[in-house]
Amino acid sequence: MHTETPESLVESWRNRVAAHPDGVAVTYFDGQLTARELDEESDALAVAFAGLGTEYGDRVGVYLQNLPQYAVTLLALWKLGASALILNPMYRRHELRRLIDDAGATGFVCSTEDVPESLETLNESTVRWMVSTSPLDYQTRNDPRVLPTAPTVPETAPQGDLVDLVAAHRGQRPGEITLTRDDVALLTYTSGTTGPPKGAMNTHGNLLAVTSTFGQWAGIGPGDVVFAMAPLFHITGAVVNAAVALLSGATLALSGRFHPEVALETFAERGVTFTIGSITAYNAIAALPHAGVEHFVTAERLYSGGAPIPPATVERFEERFGRYIHNGYGMTETSSAVIAVPPGRRAPVHQPSGTLSIGLPLPGLEARVLDPDGRPLPAGEQGELELTGPQVVPGYWRQAEATEQAMPAGRLRTGDVALIDEDGWVYLVDRLKDQINVSGYKVWPREVEDALYEHGAVREVAVVGEPDDYRGESVVAYVSLVAGAQAAPEELAGFARERLAAYKVPRRVVLLEDLPKTQTGKIRRNVLRERADHPTKDRP
């Protein structure tokens, strides 16, 4: 029975199935699942998981790329009242085991090719069962760019293959359970850039708040095709791509791990109308010489999250493809996007800093800027961004002290330096920890990066500080160039000098073929900071 305010993701999903049972819920290359089929597949898998001992409140690791099995598994776990511990498939051995042990996961779902190493890694852990699945299932195209070559003898996890389990329990449904908005739907670990990773408890209520506010604001509903450009093991992909599409009646288009050529083809083949991904993913697509306006005919709403977009990058993309990339902002602790540029509107640029706004707070979210003593600052003043609302998680898994420090009285201290103008637009200046102190002057990396992005040869840039006996710190810029372009470090430093105060100009510009990135496409500034601490690495 349809209700206006569902109490859980399962109830919201069932409302979608009842309203549009034959609508396509998921596509994967040449395969697809209707809402009714996905509901039946997840019912059967839930029964199988229950048979393996999975109960209400359990945590189950999901260690997959962007496959239909991801959606099947999430729905199956939620139907049992279990939480999905979403895990980056790039994590190996110790870093994977650390999260499994911290979460106390009792089950584990992985790709076939990861079975041997996962068995070694999880030996004597809390994991009681392991199920594997092949990325080749649910499609027949077998695109070698993103899918593995089928092994002669596929390695299967001890408790079997996911598709086989679904087939064995087809037609069965799990028992009914009562879920509330306070139940944890996802356990999502922070990147650990400010210490050991912490598990954010993203509740059913948190995800419902984001899917409803962002989904309605972006106008996503039946007839829309949402391309999962962001990885589903990341909060952005799991919520603003997958959950929004599944619960709104839209189609979720999947194509495995991100590959620029495959992504470009998906835009055209599936008639994608919405996506959100890192700006590095857009840059990779733009680097393809054959990419053109024709690939983005239906793509009316393009969003980028993870890092503020340099204005010059937005302008270049729009000039070439005729599509404007909207900024979006969210954190693991806010269950994904909570600030965004509304569709059809253009983000203002703050003067004189040249910073592009990350958008306006979504409905229900309160955003404030605080001084170092925690007092609210007036419009236009820089300080730490604080967020409060139903999107903010209740805390970190088994870390009361860290919860109280990051979220005193439920108000999330983001660690981001921001300002909010008189019209409510939010501008992200930088992470507090990324600030560079040059002879007592504060330098924000974003300002230097945005200046360098104006140079036509610059593809990507990241600015960090390095120890300097005379100045305390000095500015270093790591730059990768557009394919085929040339620019000497001296030229780029001179370009910045024309646009910045002398103390902000990089004393060193280091050219790299590619900047180090996380699996989700964020530039790994911490790696570059470590490199800058040992500058001999950058010199012949």
Side-chain angles (χ1 to χ4, degrees):
M1 180 182 192
H2 181 76
T3 58
E4 290 300 319
T5 54
E7 286 298 307
S8 71
L9 297 166
V10 175
E11 185 180 348
S12 182
W13 164 251
R14 286 178 176 154
N15 289 344
R16 182 249 167 98
V17 176
H20 304 282
D22 298 318
V24 178
V26 172
T27 65
Y28 183 56
F29 298 103
D30 57 348
Q32 66 178 39
L33 290 169
T34 66
R36 190 200 315 273
E37 290 168 338
L38 179 54
D39 193 43
E40 292 171 351
E41 299 264 315
S42 57
D43 274 346
L45 188 60
V47 173
F49 285 165
L52 295 172
T54 306
E55 300 176 342
Y56 171 86
D58 281 353
R59 280 81 55 208
V60 173
V62 185
Y63 189 63
L64 299 171
Q65 295 285 357
N66 289 12
L67 313 176
Q69 295 93 311
Y70 217 118
V72 178
T73 299
L74 288 182
L75 288 169
L77 293 174
W78 294 340
K79 288 176 177 180
L80 295 176
S83 305
L85 166 63
I86 56 179
L87 298 162
N88 185 337
M90 294 293 288
Y91 286 169
R92 291 296 180 213
R93 301 191 183 276
H94 174 71
E95 58 185 344
L96 174 62
R97 179 63 182 264
R98 181 173 57 178
L99 302 188
I100 290 289
D101 288 346
D102 188 75
T106 58
F108 190 74
V109 181
C110 65
S111 290
T112 306
E113 62 267 30
D114 290 323
V115 169
E117 186 175 302
S118 295
L119 284 171
E120 292 180 14
T121 300
L122 303 183
N123 183 41
E124 298 184 359
S125 72
T126 55
V127 172
R128 298 194 301 264
W129 59 262
M130 182 187 298
V131 168
S132 59
T133 190
S134 170
L136 299 173
D137 288 330
Y138 292 100
Q139 59 83 51
T140 62
R141 192 174 292 169
N142 296 347
D143 191 322
R145 293 171 295 181
V146 290
L147 297 179
T149 303
T152 308
V153 182
E155 184 86 24
T156 303
Q159 280 67 47
D161 175 82
L162 184 147
V163 171
D164 290 343
L165 290 172
V166 167
H169 296 279
R170 192 172 299 284
Q172 300 178 43
R173 297 190 65 181
E176 290 292 327
I177 62 168
T178 301
L179 289 169
T180 73
R181 288 174 170 253
D182 294 330
D183 285 308
V184 178
L186 300 176
L187 189 58
T188 315
Y189 277 77
T190 61
S191 60
T193 54
T194 57
K198 299 180 289 291
M201 299 185 291
N202 306 104
T203 67
H204 284 253
N206 293 149
L207 267 62
L208 286 169
V210 174
T211 55
S212 62
T213 56
F214 190 90
Q216 290 171 15
W217 200 4
I220 300 171
D224 272 306
V225 178
V226 176
F227 174 43
M229 188 156 71
L232 300 187
F233 58 76
H234 187 268
I235 193 68
T236 301
V239 180
V240 183
N241 281 335
V244 166
L246 293 173
L247 303 184
S248 69
T251 297
L252 176 64
L254 302 169
S255 60
R257 62 180 174 80
F258 177 77
H259 185 287
E261 289 183 350
V262 176
L264 185 68
E265 292 162 11
T266 303
F267 271 102
E269 179 182 3
R270 290 297 176 186
V272 172
T273 60
F274 171 89
T275 193
I276 185 169
S278 67
I279 195 60
T280 55
Y282 287 105
N283 287 339
I285 291 172
L288 299 172
H290 61 285
V293 174
E294 65 275 12
H295 292 96
F296 297 93
V297 172
T298 58
E300 305 157 344
R301 288 151 291 169
L302 298 181
Y303 276 78
S304 179
I309 319 171
T313 300
V314 175
E315 291 166 9
R316 282 201 292 261
F317 192 93
E318 186 174 24
E319 286 173 7
R320 181 165 171 198
F321 300 112
R323 293 299 181 192
Y324 179 78
I325 300 175
H326 301 72
N327 249 326
Y329 170 87
M331 302 174 67
T332 305
E333 293 88 343
T334 65
S335 309
S336 192
V338 290
I339 298 173
V341 178
R345 298 186 67 176
R346 304 176 75 85
V349 177
H350 177 258
Q351 297 300 341
S353 71
T355 301
L356 192 69
S357 173
I358 58 172
L360 297 165
L362 267 67
L365 183 86
E366 179 189 4
R368 302 193 303 176
V369 173
L370 308 179
D371 69 10
D373 296 320
R375 293 176 299 216
L377 289 167
E381 293 289 322
Q382 292 184 17
E384 183 176 10
L385 182 64
E386 179 198 75
L387 304 174
T388 312
Q391 304 93 331
V392 176
V393 299
Y396 298 117
W397 173 252
R398 299 192 307 187
Q399 293 208 35
E401 187 175 334
T403 298
E404 178 57 30
Q405 185 175 358
M407 302 167 232
R411 295 179 172 273
L412 175 64
R413 300 288 180 84
T414 65
D416 285 319
V417 179
L419 62 89
I420 302 175
D421 69 17
E422 293 181 352
D423 296 319
W425 289 92
V426 183
Y427 301 83
L428 205 61
V429 182
D430 255 312
R431 295 288 298 175
L432 283 168
K433 62 183 177 56
D434 291 333
Q435 184 187 82
I436 305 167
N437 193 322
V438 181
S439 300
Y441 293 101
K442 294 181 176 64
V443 178
W444 297 108
R446 278 285 316 289
E447 189 176 1
V448 184
E449 290 164 1
D450 284 352
L452 287 169
Y453 268 118
E454 293 178 17
H455 193 290
V458 172
R459 178 166 64 98
E460 291 178 335
V461 57
V463 167
V464 299
E466 74 173 2
D468 186 309
D469 291 339
Y470 179 70
R471 300 170 184 82
E473 285 185 294
S474 59
V475 179
V476 182
Y478 290 93
V479 176
S480 67
L481 301 178
V482 173
Q486 291 187 337
E490 297 77 16
E491 176 188 344
L492 295 173
F495 184 83
R497 189 170 292 109
E498 296 172 1
R499 291 160 173 77
L500 298 168
Y503 66 89
K504 299 178 183 179
V505 176
R507 291 190 62 79
R508 291 198 302 121
V509 175
V510 182
L511 298 181
L512 299 176
E513 186 173 342
D514 283 298
L515 300 187
K517 299 183 186 71
T518 66
Q519 179 72 3
T520 57
K522 289 184 182 179
I523 293 172
R524 300 184 65 186
R525 199 185 296 268
N526 60 322
V527 172
L528 296 174
R529 197 180 292 112
E530 291 173 7
R531 181 170 179 155
D533 286 341
H534 303 87
T536 53
K537 293 181 180 179
D538 298 326
R539 294 172 181 144

